[in-house]
Amino acid sequence: MQAICNGMSASASLGVVPSSGSQQTQPSNVQYQWEAPVPGSTDSLGSLTIVASNGTPTEVLRPAVRSVFGTMRCVSAAWDKANQMLTIAYEVGGLPLHIALTPVERQGQLTVSMSADAPLISSLDAGTWNALLEAQPLVVPYYDGKVSYMAATGDFANAWWDWHSTGSTILSATDAQYSPRTDGSLALMHEQLNVVMSPNVDEVLPSPGNQASPYMSQMAGRMVIDIWTAGFSAVQQGIEELGDYGLKNCAAIIHDWQHAGYDNALPEHYTANPNLGGDPALSSAVAAGKSSGCLMAVHENYVDYYPNYPQFDAAAVSLTSDGDWLASWKNGLGIQSYSAKPSWILKNAAMESPIIHQRYGTTADYLDVSSAAPISSHGDLDARQPNAGSLTAWMQANASLWAYERQTHGGPVLGEGLNHWYYSGQLDGVEAQLGDGYPLGTDVNLPLFVDFDLLRMHPLQVNHGMGYYGRWVHSGSSITSTEQMDAYRMQEIAYGHAPFVDTTNWNDVTHAFVEGGLVTPVAASYGTAHVSAIQYAMDGSWVSPSQAARNGTFATVEVTYNNGLSIAANASSTPVLWNGFAVPQYGWVAKGNQLLAYTAMCGGNICDYAETPTSLFANARNQSDLRIGVAPAAPSAISVQPKAYRQLSILYNWKVFQKVASNYEVFVHFVNDDDLQTDAGIVFQDDHETASPTSSWVPNTLLTDGPWTVPVPSSVPDGKDSIRMGLYDPNTGNRVHLAGIDDGTERYIVGYLIISQGGNVMNLEPPPVEEDDPRLNAAGSVVNFGSIQTDGMVSVDQENGQWVLRSFPRNRAVTVLLDSSRFPVPVTVQAVGGNVQQVMPISQGQYWQLPMVNAKTYAWPIPSD
């Protein structure tokens, strides 16, 4: 008995750029044929065979079915031609069982719906591809399924169980498991197996099957600011400072704010943690963000249910098959949380979210766990609950929760990335961390195989970044090099994500200014656009995704959107020439309707640029500026002299760059570099107060600190110890970010103490000279971008009928030359927050120079046409 499903797979070829050398794939002549199991066979659903155009049949899969009640012996199989249904009769442990299969082919995809008439089935397995097909796994970023390339046929293939209609408890790409409920019963089996084979790799990638987010236009291009570590007053100060630099198209998430501390006593959230400033300070921070143009969200979590929740109810906890509480996250205090029942998730949110919105005035929301968790990780097996044992209960609860939070907060709902592709569109965006497909920590090595993300997720929601920096980098710490930051941003652009600033530098203008000025215009253009073509560079030509997949070539990609925007991104160590731009490794170029943006070569240096009719951003990548960043000062050790036996006199300097808001104290650690694990290597110290309060320090000055007399303990042997120093807040113990050679803990290496002759001789060895960064402008030279020339970082934006220019840094006279054909020479320029209130432009041929006076903004009227 055979159930035969005939049809030719439809292959919608990707559009290609003319003269690119791409080869379009041709549709394949494939017939899908389901063969029933032979009577007497065991644990079999039959087999799937494909019939090629020459009539040759090849078995591709042999799905299996199993029962905890015994071996499933096939008794008979009957094909109902009228209803296009195959019914297989089994005997299981002396009990009869029937499974009905309905195969349907649509546009090259075979869908086999199957259901049982008795709750006896514990698992189904789609099986593995026939060895004759020579299946080779193809890893797809963000997808946790199993795509394969069939070397024997030249096709790509995929098989998966449908997660929308499943009755299972645990579902993977090829397995569906039915776990016993607390009363020992199983759910009635209902599944849908999807199989597709095609010469076009994009056709075998599944769709999440959800509606698009209603907030895509609002989120397109919006920079997401991720805040975990600061008190509420510091949050307000940081957001206001970013606003001073024109960074207003943003969405800020305040994660650590909950009354009992982060990830504790949930689902209780409010009132705001008093140790961070309490309700008044949190409300003020949210209000400041909104006045700067940010959407403001706070972190909520209705999945992890803690036993120290004041209103804890055991009836709210999901159960395992054995009736135990289903464990979820264990927090930093060692308190184990449990998974909330799907039926309680919305109930708990209704007790918290409306009050959170009312108290703090949120305009967006962040929901932890829901969009990151595997779809099978939070199922409730409590037999007393409706739909017990089915993962669809969890997914339906999530969908209801996201819809509820959108309505409650009156804005988009953001979430945690990882398994987010399943849920795309049901919420509005996630930090797009890896983990599905490619693992966490892939770092700069992530292939630019963008098809699944751009074709399946991008049309449904606006994701941001490439994940938290600490989960993106291989080391697990954070991004520490210009190369890593360039690679992260290049991936962000290639994968069509919105700009993102991680908590490690969310209020560091040197990062946020670039992310907002450079990425925002491009992300605003592609945020709601759909991809019309994807091509990959291979052997000097642009080829289709399928050709690239067959060869594993994903180092350089070109993406074209339906609004005319084209982007080329290069992860290859070989520079690429694209539309007249030399694109280095981890560089990119975006060209569209009145949009040009790039990280590319400007002469011998890498530079960043973005221009639209209403905005301009230029970054000459001045090495000195970027290494100083927002640091208020840089320490140095000037001299060491022996003063007495085992005593030294040491003199320090402080080079001041910025105004210091608070009064800090100095710590100096003399460190044994061979034993950093013991007390951070500290063998003795020289902590002291500064000669004058740090709040009185004047920018662009050099201050002497000392000399200080420091005893050297007798336990310190002759040898070489590093001198590491910095500033800290005596009230909190928090260290201050400074300029210099950071050892990774905000201790700055200023030299080495050489002790000899039993402590009678002590000398100072200078610290190593920091090498030039090949991706920065070490000479600090002026870069000509066309519309502007500068040796710093500059943005120009249209605001209320004026051009408004902002520069970084403000503590030096950045060179700014503006093309008079793009920016006609004004009579005067108004300076706000600088040394003077008005400056006069200086004509220099085609350009005019704007004298810089340490101002926050420089504004002049836009001439009327």
Side-chain angles (χ1 to χ4, degrees):
M1 178 67 64
Q2 295 182 337
I4 301 175
C5 185
N6 295 322
M8 182 183 296
S9 66
S11 180
S13 297
L14 291 175
V16 294
V17 177
S19 72
S20 66
S22 281
Q23 297 181 9
Q24 301 186 37
T25 56
Q26 298 298 318
S28 64
N29 279 323
V30 172
Q31 295 178 338
Y32 295 103
Q33 181 171 296
W34 193 280
E35 296 189 11
V38 176
S41 61
T42 59
D43 298 336
S44 175
L45 284 167
S47 62
L48 175 63
T49 295
I50 59 170
V51 181
S53 56
N54 62 5
T56 303
T58 303
E59 181 183 291
V60 293
L61 287 173
R62 184 173 286 275
V65 59
R66 294 179 177 85
S67 172
V68 294
F69 298 99
T71 300
M72 296 183 58
R73 186 179 62 84
C74 176
V75 176
S76 64
W79 171 245
D80 182 345
K81 188 174 182 180
N83 294 307
Q84 295 290 295
M85 182 172 66
L86 173 68
T87 300
I88 308 171
Y90 297 90
E91 183 272 328
V92 186
L95 300 173
L97 174 69
H98 297 84
I99 296 179
L101 290 85
T102 306
V104 177
E105 188 274 339
R106 295 187 183 91
Q107 297 182 338
Q109 177 174 310
L110 177 67
T111 299
V112 184
S113 298
M114 55 187 74
S115 57
D117 63 356
L120 302 177
I121 292 175
S122 56
S123 69
L124 299 99
D125 182 357
T128 58
W129 299 109
N130 190 326
L132 295 176
L133 296 172
E134 300 177 31
Q136 302 169 5
L138 177 64
V139 182
V140 180
Y142 294 112
Y143 179 54
D144 62 345
K146 297 180 179 179
V147 176
S148 297
Y149 171 61
M150 306 304 189
T153 66
D155 288 317
F156 298 91
N158 195 7
W160 68 94
W161 300 102
D162 180 68
W163 57 94
H164 292 288
S165 59
T166 183
S168 68
T169 311
I170 301 172
L171 195 69
S172 69
T174 56
D175 299 304
Q177 299 178 34
Y178 287 72
S179 301
R181 295 181 286 210
T182 52
D183 62 358
S185 66
L186 297 172
L188 197 63
M189 186 275 282
H190 177 79
E191 297 297 333
Q192 178 179 298
L193 177 64
N194 301 284
V195 182
V196 60
M197 296 185 68
S198 171
N200 186 340
V201 66
D202 292 333
E203 290 187 352
V204 306
L205 304 175
S207 168
N210 304 319
Q211 295 294 313
S213 158
Y215 288 101
M216 293 192 66
S217 295
Q218 192 171 354
M219 290 303 298
R222 193 175 288 270
M223 182 171 70
V224 177
I225 303 170
D226 212 51
I227 308 169
W228 290 82
T229 57
F232 304 143
S233 61
V235 171
Q236 178 174 343
Q237 179 182 343
I239 289 177
E240 288 174 344
E241 183 176 357
L242 295 183
D244 284 345
Y245 278 90
L247 301 172
K248 299 179 178 181
N249 185 20
C250 52
I253 306 167
I254 301 173
H255 290 279
D256 187 359
W257 70 277
Q258 299 82 355
H259 180 74
Y262 177 71
D263 264 0
N264 191 32
L266 296 172
E268 180 187 63
H269 293 80
Y270 66 90
T271 55
N273 192 327
N275 295 325
L276 300 174
D279 272 7
L282 178 57
S283 297
S284 182
V286 171
K290 292 195 298 185
S291 66
S292 291
C294 277
L295 295 173
M296 295 299 296
V298 295
H299 181 120
E300 299 179 53
N301 179 348
Y302 299 107
V303 176
D304 299 330
Y305 193 77
Y306 280 83
N308 59 343
Y309 171 46
Q311 300 181 55
F312 181 83
D313 187 338
V317 180
S318 292
L319 301 181
T320 67
S321 295
D322 296 330
D324 297 329
W325 292 352
L326 179 62
S328 192
W329 185 257
K330 181 181 284 188
N331 70 13
L333 301 173
I335 302 172
Q336 177 68 62
S337 73
Y338 299 92
S339 182
K341 276 184 170 9
S343 58
W344 277 70
I345 288 176
L346 191 57
K347 184 187 302 184
N348 288 333
M351 295 173 61
E352 296 280 321
S353 293
I355 298 173
I356 291 170
H357 172 66
Q358 181 181 17
R359 278 176 178 260
Y360 311 117
T362 51
T363 50
D365 190 35
Y366 177 91
L367 283 172
D368 196 13
V369 183
S370 297
S371 52
I375 58 175
S376 306
S377 60
H378 289 274
D380 182 21
L381 291 164
D382 186 347
R384 299 167 296 181
Q385 297 295 311
N387 209 16
S390 174
L391 64 86
T392 55
W394 153 260
M395 298 195 72
Q396 290 163 4
N398 276 335
S400 298
L401 177 63
W402 286 315
Y404 175 78
E405 296 295 348
R406 280 173 178 160
Q407 181 179 13
T408 300
H409 293 276
V413 178
L414 306 179
E416 183 182 6
L418 182 58
N419 288 279
H420 54 276
W421 81 267
Y422 288 102
Y423 314 104
S424 295
Q426 294 183 335
L427 70 164
D428 307 299
V430 301
E431 44 76 27
Q433 79 170 48
L434 294 160
D436 279 346
Y438 278 83
L440 296 176
T442 302
D443 207 303
V444 301
N445 300 311
L446 177 68
L448 301 182
F449 188 12
V450 299
D451 294 52
F452 180 64
D453 193 331
L454 288 180
L455 298 176
R456 299 297 185 261
M457 288 188 284
H458 181 82
L460 300 180
Q461 67 183 39
V462 179
N463 295 326
H464 46 272
M466 295 299 296
Y468 300 129
Y469 295 170
R471 298 179 183 177
W472 179 84
V473 299
H474 180 69
S475 65
S477 55
S478 188
I479 290 175
T480 57
S481 70
T482 310
E483 179 182 75
Q484 285 181 318
M485 193 70 251
D486 284 346
Y488 185 98
R489 191 173 291 124
M490 178 272 297
Q491 293 173 14
E492 192 174 64
I493 291 283
Y495 279 86
H497 298 167
F500 175 68
V501 182
D502 183 82
T503 188
T504 55
N505 52 27
W506 74 269
N507 57 349
D508 184 339
V509 170
T510 59
H511 290 272
F513 203 19
V514 177
E515 191 75 2
L518 184 64
V519 181
T520 287
V522 184
S525 179
Y526 61 51
T528 57
H530 288 220
V531 169
S532 57
I534 301 173
Q535 299 184 106
Y536 295 91
M538 189 174 77
D539 298 330
S541 299
W542 292 104
V543 302
S544 70
S546 300
Q547 217 170 331
R550 291 185 182 97
N551 289 274
T553 306
F554 298 112
T556 305
V557 65
E558 180 188 75
V559 180
T560 303
Y561 291 86
N562 62 357
N563 61 357
L565 176 67
S566 290
I567 293 172
N570 182 34
S572 168
S573 58
T574 303
V576 172
L577 186 65
W578 188 82
N579 280 350
F581 288 89
V583 187
Q585 186 175 30
Y586 311 129
W588 55 273
V589 181
K591 293 188 72 173
N593 182 25
Q594 297 185 304
L595 166 67
L596 172 65
Y598 54 80
T599 292
M601 300 304 298
C602 294
N605 294 316
I606 299 174
C607 61
D608 305 308
Y609 188 69
E611 184 172 6
T612 73
T614 61
S615 67
L616 177 152
F617 175 80
N619 179 18
R621 293 190 167 215
N622 187 299
Q623 178 173 275
S624 177
D625 292 344
L626 295 175
R627 285 184 170 173
I628 294 170
V630 294
S636 59
I638 301 304
S639 65
V640 167
Q641 299 291 334
K643 189 165 186 179
Y645 177 66
R646 302 199 72 84
Q647 278 193 352
L648 62 86
S649 175
I650 185 166
L651 180 66
Y652 313 100
N653 274 353
W654 290 94
K655 188 173 183 179
V656 182
F657 305 115
Q658 328 275 355
K659 180 72 176 174
V660 182
S662 302
N663 287 320
Y664 301 114
E665 295 183 6
V666 180
F667 68 87
V668 182
H669 296 165
F670 296 84
V671 173
N672 178 1
D673 293 345
D674 294 327
D675 187 17
L676 294 174
Q677 301 304 315
T678 303
D679 197 21
I682 301 170
V683 291
F684 62 103
Q685 299 182 227
D686 176 28
D687 295 0
H688 57 268
E689 296 181 358
T690 55
S692 60
T694 54
S695 60
S696 67
W697 287 3
V698 178
N700 299 316
T701 59
L702 185 66
L703 302 178
T704 299
D705 183 6
W708 297 92
T709 300
V710 183
V712 180
S714 59
S715 59
V716 178
D718 287 0
K720 179 178 177 179
D721 297 313
S722 62
I723 306 171
R724 309 184 185 204
M725 63 186 299
L727 295 175
Y728 72 99
D729 186 334
N731 297 314
T732 64
N734 294 334
R735 294 175 181 174
V736 179
H737 176 73
L738 302 172
I741 303 174
D742 188 349
D743 72 355
T745 65
E746 294 184 323
R747 298 190 302 182
Y748 297 84
I749 302 173
V750 295
Y752 297 90
L753 175 66
I754 310 299
I755 303 174
S756 60
Q757 298 183 23
N760 286 306
V761 178
M762 301 184 194
N763 293 300
L764 176 66
E765 181 181 301
V769 176
E770 196 169 4
E771 295 182 359
D772 289 337
D773 188 330
R775 303 187 72 86
L776 297 180
N777 183 348
S781 56
V782 173
V783 176
N784 188 342
F785 293 92
S787 294
I788 188 173
Q789 298 182 43
T790 185
D791 62 350
M793 195 184 302
V794 178
S795 71
V796 188
D797 297 286
Q798 277 192 16
E799 296 178 11
N800 302 317
Q802 292 186 309
W803 287 117
V804 179
L805 183 146
R806 299 172 176 89
S807 68
F808 181 88
R810 294 173 180 162
N811 63 345
R812 74 170 180 87
V814 172
T815 298
V816 176
L817 293 165
L818 296 166
D819 187 337
S820 57
S821 64
R822 177 74 167 90
F823 302 101
V825 185
V827 177
T828 61
V829 175
Q830 301 300 312
V832 176
N835 303 329
V836 297
Q837 295 181 350
Q838 194 175 78
V839 294
M840 304 295 294
I842 303 170
S843 293
Q844 292 192 11
Q846 180 184 344
Y847 290 85
W848 57 276
Q849 183 173 2
L850 177 62
M852 308 302 282
V853 292
N854 306 113
K856 290 184 177 180
T857 61
Y858 302 83
W860 64 95
I862 299 174
S864 57
D865 294 335

